[in-house]
Amino acid sequence: MVCSGLRVEFSLLMNIYLETFGCQMNRLDSELIAELLRVGGHTMTDSAAADVVLYNTCSVRDHAEQKVYSRIGRDAKAKAAGRKLIVGVVGCMAQRAKADLRRRCPCVDLICSPGQLHRLVGLIEAAAAGKAAKLHIASDPGRAEPPDQEAQRLLEEVDRTRNPLAAPSASQAFVRVMRGCNKFCSYCIVPFVRGAEHSRPPQPIYEEVKKLVEAGRSEITLIGQTVNSYCYRQGDSAVRFGDLLEFLSPIADLRRLRFVTSHPVDFDRPILEAMRDLPNVCPYIHVPPQSGSDAMLAAMNRKYTRGEYDTLIDAAREIVPDVVFAGDFIVGFPGETEEDHLASAELIRRTSYKNSFVFKYSPRPGTQAAKKLADDVPEAVKKHRNNELLAVQREVGLAHHRSYVGRSVEVLVTGPSRRCDKQPAPATADSMQLMGRSRGDHIVIFDGPRSLTDQYITIKITDANDLTLFGEMEELQ
Ligand code: 5AD
Ligand code: SF4
């Protein structure tokens, strides 16, 4: 790495602790950050041994931000007690709450927005090079300002030049296809902190997938805030998401191609046909409805009706064999009545999701909902509705998973099961409880040797609960 004047002055190689909150986008950003730091000669470590702690943060709900404030509070105490520590806030909170962080958290030394990751190593080194009294900030322009094209180019370089061997799993990796969001759902902070939607050109995506697959990552998950809104325009032509799947699918040894998260409005027929026709595109669709009620969907600015959502689910069922759905729901959005809530419960039953994530509405400052609508559903009602939707989801999840009993599914083994992680080491390496994922993204638990990790295997399903399939090994593929 080139030594700038700053780096010469900076003599320490630092031990860095990085904690990640939030979505897949943050998980990928953290992987890329860790690699940039390693290339810079620094070492990743646990929080007790760290010279630098970095929080890669999420602003989607208040709860996620409060967790980070509490971590920073703990760091402030440690610093006050004399520990030498650089504290950095990266990601969505760095963009949304930078004024708050400056005011409330004097122990924070650096703040780096999601679009400025290429500057993070420099910021840390500047903070370490004796300039810790000063707050080091790299922040994204607001949506009203012109985009910073140089920052976009440098950010693209971070993805394009990533080390394929740095992906935390030896068989799976995320690849970003787009950044930002233009949908402006009335409750959501993402368009403000992640900026305008921007699709990457197809060729560098292809090269990145190929490089990862050649390094053994045979299951690739394409990610974007609304991944299926992907649209790369050049002149008069446009490459849409279905085209991108078709472009990537033939890559040799790419066994599974997945994508998250989808927006119902942009789920066109070519995507469903690509899922049907391309053998390595997995039949799993995470397509959050947020609510089953038209009144709520309109207030949320989701841009579709309940009927249109149902039509999409029916078309997916008709076109894509064995398609599996996952959903997100928000309960207690302003004005949500019992009837609206029951419509969400009914939608869970109708769609029969494999799993649903249910969130209590959390007003985010600056969003249309926070500005214009009173947060008028009491906390106790939100909690009750949250539990009710989860109970319905458990019922449909159980029926969904049970429908696999007696069938054989292909599983990519991800390693020992969580239960096994907590147990003492087994007597022989041949008898552990392993965990993997089916093509439909089911969690599958079975017994086998640890050496199966990162391999594909056929499992005969013998039992199920609301979230998990259980089975026995048939054969190694
Ligand atoms: N309050 C509660 N849940 C939210 N989500 C996004 N914004 C909010 C909010 N203000 C949920 C949506 C989205 C998921 C990632 O987080 O369900 O799909
Ligand atoms: Fe947020 Fe809506 Fe964009 Fe999803 S589609 S990131 S919920 S604004």
Side-chain angles (χ1 to χ4, degrees):
M1 196 174 202
V2 185
C3 277
S4 64
L6 193 58
R7 291 211 172 97
V8 172
E9 190 187 328
F10 170 66
S11 56
L12 278 178
L13 289 182
M14 285 171 293
N15 293 312
I16 298 179
Y17 170 68
L18 171 61
E19 184 169 355
T20 309
F21 300 83
C23 64
Q24 293 91 350
M25 210 49 96
N26 274 13
R27 278 164 61 194
L28 175 57
D29 280 345
S30 285
E31 176 191 326
L32 300 178
I33 291 168
E35 187 57 12
L36 287 175
L37 291 166
R38 267 188 230 110
V39 170
H42 307 295
T43 307
M44 303 312 289
T45 184
D46 58 28
S47 62
D51 310 306
V52 180
V53 294
L54 295 177
Y55 301 114
N56 190 7
T57 59
C58 168
S59 285
V60 158
R61 283 169 293 278
D62 185 54
H63 181 63
E65 292 197 346
Q66 293 313 321
K67 271 200 242 167
V68 173
Y69 280 123
S70 114
R71 298 284 198 283
I72 295 173
R74 190 190 57 192
D75 298 335
K77 277 194 197 134
K79 284 176 90 162
R83 181 170 169 196
K84 274 190 80 182
L85 195 63
I86 294 171
V87 179
V89 177
V90 186
C92 294
M93 252 179 103
Q95 182 68 9
R96 195 202 74 75
K98 50 186 174 282
D100 267 4
L101 286 163
R102 288 176 93 147
R103 207 183 54 243
R104 286 175 53 185
C105 309
C107 90
V108 169
D109 302 292
L110 66 95
I111 296 179
C112 183
S113 292
Q116 304 289 326
L117 293 186
H118 52 284
R119 291 171 60 191
L120 181 61
V121 179
L123 289 181
I124 296 172
E125 294 179 355
K131 294 172 190 153
K134 194 165 153 270
L135 177 63
H136 300 267
I137 296 193
S139 126
D140 292 339
R143 283 192 73 116
E145 295 160 54
D148 179 347
Q149 304 221 327
E150 180 59 3
Q152 281 184 359
R153 191 185 66 75
L154 290 169
L155 209 53
E156 169 65 26
E157 283 304 282
V158 174
D159 286 62
R160 203 183 59 78
T161 58
R162 73 193 271 195
N163 172 4
L165 296 172
S169 150
S171 53
Q172 301 169 299
F174 291 130
V175 170
R176 185 181 346 255
V177 301
M178 45 116 60
R179 294 177 180 276
C181 181
N182 285 351
K183 293 284 189 275
F184 287 99
C185 300
S186 63
Y187 51 80
C188 187
I189 196 70
V190 168
F192 303 93
V193 290
R194 288 272 174 178
E197 190 179 300
H198 169 79
S199 293
R200 296 178 66 200
Q203 194 59 35
I205 298 175
Y206 182 95
E207 305 294 342
E208 195 177 323
V209 172
K210 189 158 173 286
K211 202 164 70 168
L212 284 158
V213 174
E214 282 166 2
R217 278 66 180 165
S218 58
E219 181 183 279
I220 298 293
T221 303
L222 307 178
I223 61 172
Q225 236 76 47
T226 57
V227 67
N228 61 321
S229 312
Y230 176 89
C231 182
Y232 183 75
R233 288 180 198 283
Q234 210 163 27
D236 288 342
S237 69
V239 179
R240 294 181 190 280
F241 191 64
D243 306 321
L244 185 68
L245 291 175
E246 225 174 281
F247 182 52
L248 300 176
S249 172
I251 291 175
D253 300 323
L254 172 59
R255 280 193 68 157
R256 289 182 176 182
L257 188 55
R258 299 185 176 289
F259 54 91
V260 284
T261 298
S262 295
H263 192 286
V265 158
D266 294 318
F267 222 108
D268 56 19
R269 210 177 161 88
I271 304 176
L272 294 172
E273 288 171 355
M275 295 181 78
R276 177 193 63 198
D277 298 339
L278 306 171
N280 50 2
V281 175
C282 292
Y284 167 74
I285 310 180
H286 180 197
V287 61
Q290 312 297 1
S291 171
S293 140
D294 276 335
M296 289 298 102
L297 291 174
M300 289 174 171
N301 190 30
R302 288 291 290 177
K303 303 182 176 77
Y304 53 85
T305 62
R306 166 63 194 274
E308 284 163 344
Y309 187 87
D310 288 346
T311 303
L312 165 64
I313 297 297
D314 293 345
R317 276 228 175 82
E318 191 193 311
I319 296 171
V320 185
D322 278 333
V323 68
V324 174
F325 301 106
D328 294 357
F329 287 85
I330 296 178
V331 293
F333 188 78
E336 187 188 57
T337 62
E338 190 59 22
E339 199 186 341
D340 296 322
H341 168 61
L342 291 177
S344 292
E346 192 268 315
L347 176 56
I348 294 181
R349 286 188 204 286
R350 183 186 195 281
T351 311
S352 199
Y353 297 96
K354 168 179 78 81
N355 65 295
S356 292
F357 301 94
V358 183
F359 305 104
K360 288 182 284 177
Y361 171 64
S362 165
R364 308 311 293 134
T367 59
Q368 284 301 308
K371 280 191 208 160
K372 299 206 169 131
L373 304 170
D375 182 16
D376 58 0
V377 178
E379 182 59 25
V381 176
K382 285 183 186 172
K383 209 167 163 185
H384 184 70
R385 289 181 183 169
N386 191 318
N387 289 340
E388 277 190 349
L389 288 196
L390 288 176
V392 176
Q393 176 54 49
R394 273 197 298 277
E395 249 178 69
V396 305
L398 182 62
H400 171 85
H401 285 87
R402 277 201 179 143
S403 72
Y404 283 80
V405 173
R407 289 176 60 179
S408 294
V409 298
E410 178 202 82
V411 172
L412 170 56
V413 185
T414 49
S417 74
R418 283 180 206 128
R419 191 193 85 185
C420 197
D421 272 349
K422 290 191 198 116
Q423 285 178 341
T428 70
D430 286 342
S431 64
M432 18 180 36
Q433 192 180 64
L434 296 174
M435 183 174 142
R437 291 271 175 176
S438 73
R439 282 166 48 83
D441 199 49
H442 304 95
I443 298 168
V444 185
I445 302 280
F446 59 98
D447 286 339
R450 185 193 276 267
S451 58
L452 287 178
T453 304
D454 299 315
Q455 305 211 38
Y456 293 85
I457 186 170
T458 304
I459 299 289
K460 174 93 187 255
I461 303 304
T462 53
D463 200 1
N465 67 23
D466 58 324
L467 285 172
T468 315
L469 300 175
F470 301 92
E472 288 161 8
M473 273 191 319
E474 275 187 352
E475 59 181 279
L476 194 57
Q477 294 178 350

